[in-house]
Amino acid sequence: MPEDSRWCRPTDGSTDSVVVSKTTWDRDSGNTPVNAVVSAVATATGIDSLELPPLYETIDPDALNALFLSGPGDPGTRTRFRYAGYGVTVQGDGTVRVQPGPDV
């Protein structure tokens, strides 16, 4: 499962750096959107995935997978939510992005 974490500058002009975690899911490999979300948030937080709060307390994992895995798939499909204090964006092209902050 490809995974990338990097430091970047926020767009609000402040000098504080924020961690952004990015990973991918793939309908053909069995790496589901749910697995990718948990992995990306674990990377962003530095917390083992088993130590994170249950994802189902934030979003229905079955519905999240169904949104992206049922049907032919639309790369333009996107959903955003907050999980473990981070903003998570899951996209139909297989990308999951995790960013700290109040907005998603």
Side-chain angles (χ1 to χ4, degrees):
M1 163 174 42
E3 204 165 294
D4 169 56
S5 291
R6 65 187 191 284
W7 289 92
C8 67
R9 295 274 181 216
T11 57
D12 65 2
S14 70
T15 58
D16 296 328
S17 294
V18 294
V19 174
V20 176
S21 179
K22 177 183 172 186
T23 192
T24 58
W25 60 269
D26 179 2
R27 70 175 53 235
D28 298 326
S29 72
N31 180 31
T32 66
V34 166
N35 292 340
V37 165
V38 173
S39 175
V41 172
T43 298
T45 62
I47 298 173
D48 186 276
S49 61
L50 297 175
E51 304 284 322
L52 291 171
L55 185 61
Y56 66 79
E57 291 180 356
T58 299
I59 192 167
D60 181 333
D62 292 332
L64 180 62
N65 279 339
L67 176 65
F68 292 101
L69 298 177
S70 63
D74 178 356
T77 302
R78 179 174 65 179
T79 190
R80 294 187 228 177
F81 55 92
R82 294 203 37 84
Y83 174 53
Y86 284 73
V88 177
T89 303
V90 182
Q91 295 179 198
D93 67 358
T95 304
V96 175
R97 288 187 172 87
V98 178
Q99 296 179 285
D103 297 325
V104 290

